[in-house]
Amino acid sequence: MTYIRDGYSVRGVQKDKSHTPLTPAVLHILLALSTQERHGYGIMKEVESDSEGKVKMGPGTLYGSIGRMIDAGLIRESDKRVDPDIDDERRIYYKITALGQATLAAELERYREVVAIAKKKQFAWNSLAYGV
Amino acid sequence: MQRYRNWYAKLLRFYPRAYRERFGEGMEQTFNDLCRERAGGGLFCLVLWTFSETSAAIIRENAIMIVRCSMNRGSTIFLRVVISLIAIGALAVCIFPLPRMFAREAAKTPDTAYLVYFFLGGAYVLAIPFFFGLYQTFKLLSYIDGDKAFTELSVRALRHIKYSAITAGILMVAGIAAIMVLSAGTGEDIAGVVMVGLIMTLASSVVAAVAAVLQKQVQKAIAIKSERL
């Protein structure tokens, strides 16, 4: 099944709202893992570059979230292998699951709906200047 | 850099064992990667930030684990018994030996007996935040047993514990200051009293700090729970 809307498509994924809304950390980790498997440091770097340095995640938050996400079935450990770009130590790679993809899709859909509501209300960023 | 790595490995020992076995190695590797990335400059700032971030996470994970364990076994009973014993002991001290001790002091120096009774009053005022704090701790434990650990109720109890510890600390400092001012020039030896006061002030500051950190972490855990992850 292909899910297409507003130019956004996720192949083979159904929405799963049982875990939404997600915390920012969980959302960013899911986004980082949506394209490929990564190890802890790789996730951290991807989140940092995705958010242009705005989101900085420490190891405590990262692995705390990873633990809860594994327990919830959103991601899983893939395997332990060497990252040739770093050194010859073997690292555990994490992989997004089908449930994780579905949850990410549902969360992004939720965000889109929120933005659509804001647009409908003709919310302008400069209205913040009036203390809104 | 090796020194920082060793310190970080030591810090990770404070995680619950199951968590450490699951993620300890990965966290150490990630920390090493971060250090390597910053080897050129800013390493110290990174280390400081990572240590404080990880310490906060350690407190959070331990709190979650304690609550999970106690929900399974109702193991707060032991802590509740300890708190009850402390309360009973303190109450007994307040009722019997404390007034007797002050009365003996007052008898020694009849001219300044009113000052002795002033401090006795101060001690009873100090007992108010102390017992209030104990009561709130008792309440917090019953919330943990009743599966209400990560709710606004325990945040409130922690806030009350924090404020009573701060109040006790302020009263203690005021008492020490009063003793120092009153004994100035009299040549009395007040080192012992001041020492006890300072230790108790330190203890209440530690309680206030721990309650403040726990309050913040419980609030965070509530956020995580309400967002399901």
Side-chain angles (χ1 to χ4, degrees), chain A residues 18 23 41 61 90-91, chain B residues 29 33 37 53 227-228:
Chain A
S18 57
T23 59
Y41 179 67
T61 310
R90 287 165 45 148
R91 280 149 219 276
Chain B
Q29 281 174 339
D33 295 337
E37 175 195 320
E53 193 266 350
E227 283 157 357
R228 298 231 181 161

Side-chain angles (χ1 to χ4, degrees), chain B:
Chain B
M1 200 195 285
Q2 190 55 42
R3 193 178 43 189
Y4 292 139
R5 288 180 184 182
N6 293 343
W7 286 352
Y8 195 70
K10 284 197 179 118
L11 180 69
L12 293 182
R13 284 189 204 158
F14 290 101
Y15 267 113
R17 181 196 278 266
Y19 188 95
R20 197 172 59 232
E21 280 168 1
R22 203 171 168 197
F23 297 121
E25 193 191 346
M27 290 185 79
E28 268 185 62
Q29 281 174 339
T30 306
F31 180 71
N32 293 348
D33 295 337
L34 283 170
C35 285
R36 200 176 301 132
E37 175 195 320
R38 291 285 187 92
L43 180 62
F44 183 70
C45 287
L46 169 90
V47 168
L48 213 63
W49 176 71
T50 316
F51 270 63
S52 50
E53 193 266 350
T54 303
S55 305
I58 286 173
I59 293 171
R60 191 163 58 232
E61 296 300 334
N62 275 303
I64 290 173
M65 193 206 61
I66 289 170
V67 169
R68 271 193 199 147
C69 288
S70 59
M71 278 192 305
N72 292 340
R73 298 182 218 144
S75 65
T76 61
I77 290 169
F78 172 71
L79 285 171
R80 280 202 260 181
V81 169
V82 169
I83 287 173
S84 308
L85 287 178
I86 292 175
I88 292 167
L91 198 65
V93 168
C94 279
I95 295 172
F96 305 113
L98 202 65
R100 212 176 294 162
M101 202 173 76
F102 275 83
R104 215 180 302 144
E105 275 305 307
K108 264 192 243 168
T109 52
D111 297 346
T112 54
Y114 66 94
L115 276 180
V116 174
Y117 286 113
F118 172 71
F119 280 108
L120 179 62
Y124 282 129
V125 172
L126 187 63
I128 297 171
F130 178 76
F131 284 114
F132 183 66
L134 280 185
Y135 170 63
Q136 292 295 331
T137 314
F138 201 89
K139 258 173 106 175
L140 181 66
L141 290 175
S142 54
Y143 292 148
I144 292 174
D145 261 0
D147 198 8
K148 289 186 211 152
F150 294 121
T151 59
E152 204 45 49
L153 288 171
S154 36
V155 172
R156 201 184 305 154
L158 280 167
R159 197 183 301 129
H160 288 155
I161 293 169
K162 181 178 73 180
Y163 287 141
S164 38
I166 291 171
T167 314
I170 291 170
L171 283 172
M172 210 81 82
V173 169
I176 292 171
I179 289 177
M180 287 174 106
V181 168
L182 291 170
S183 68
T186 59
E188 264 185 80
D189 184 22
I190 54 160
V193 180
V194 170
M195 197 56 169
V196 171
L198 281 179
I199 290 170
M200 284 164 80
T201 313
L202 190 72
S204 49
S205 327
V206 170
V207 171
V210 170
V213 172
L214 272 178
Q215 185 196 327
K216 209 169 167 199
Q217 293 307 321
V218 170
Q219 269 166 336
K220 264 195 185 171
I222 291 172
I224 289 171
K225 200 180 159 197
S226 65
E227 283 157 357
R228 298 231 181 161
L229 274 169

